[in-house]
Amino acid sequence: SFFQIREKNLSARNLHTLAADCARVLENTGTRLLVNDRADIAASVGAFGVHLASISLPVNVVRDGFGNKLAVFVSTHSSNEVENAFAAGAGAVVFGPIFPTPGKSDLVGLDKLRAITESSEVPVIAIGGILRVMYSVPLRRALVTGSDLPYPEGVAAAEVLKVGAGV
């Protein structure tokens, strides 16, 4: 499983402190730490990897600077972006949004997710409105960035995602 830090408004210093604290908490748990956009901070705290958005540094720049020290996940929204991310050296793509979610209007939907997962030999992680739905696609990975599901439904959803990811 993964724990992703998505703090976009913290200073570099505060983000580093947060990431270092998270890395310590996650040590020896089997949960891997990802840091949004900041490969330098991810590498300095020993995170598993970095998650790059469309406005982030290109994959090849991160690879040139950090080699294979970091896993590189890339946000994608089309089959062309998925192909480009893997050609550039991404270790996985985050594909979505699949379903409606606050702040995202251009849905990719289940049909595109199905096509991507069937044609890809590397990890594709679905994102965007994933909770509260039943799946018709063999879903092995989902990224849950937030949930308003109360206990015990939130815990049950996390367990379903954990089991579905083969953890």
Side-chain angles (χ1 to χ4, degrees):
S1 59
F2 298 96
F3 182 86
Q4 181 175 351
I5 299 174
R6 300 185 74 220
E7 290 293 335
K8 299 177 182 181
N9 298 317
L10 289 180
S11 68
R13 180 176 299 204
N14 289 341
L15 181 58
H16 182 271
T17 299
L18 174 63
D21 289 345
C22 289
R24 278 191 294 280
V25 169
L26 296 174
E27 192 172 21
N28 300 318
T29 67
T31 298
R32 300 176 209 156
L33 179 62
L34 296 173
V35 178
N36 255 35
D37 288 325
R38 297 298 305 260
D40 57 338
I41 291 174
S44 73
V45 302
F48 175 75
V50 62
H51 179 185
L52 303 176
S54 58
I55 60 170
S56 300
L57 290 172
V59 174
N60 65 316
V61 172
V62 173
R63 286 280 179 235
D64 288 347
F66 298 95
N68 290 324
K69 181 176 181 178
L70 295 172
V72 179
F73 289 28
V74 177
S75 288
T76 60
H77 309 89
S78 70
S79 58
N80 189 44
E81 288 180 1
V82 169
E83 290 172 17
N84 290 340
F86 288 128
V93 296
V94 178
F95 187 72
I98 307 303
F99 300 104
T101 186
K104 305 287 183 181
S105 58
D106 295 330
L107 304 180
V108 296
L110 282 174
D111 290 339
K112 288 183 182 176
L113 174 62
R114 181 179 292 110
I116 293 295
T117 57
E118 288 174 354
S119 65
S120 178
E121 294 183 22
V122 288
V124 175
I125 302 167
I127 191 171
I130 298 298
L131 296 180
R132 298 186 188 195
V133 297
M134 297 302 290
Y135 305 108
S136 60
V137 174
L139 185 65
R140 294 178 305 190
R141 295 170 182 87
L143 180 61
V144 179
T145 60
S147 170
D148 61 353
L149 292 178
Y151 178 84
E153 290 85 357
V155 172
E159 289 299 316
V160 167
L161 292 173
K162 187 167 90 173
V163 169
V167 174

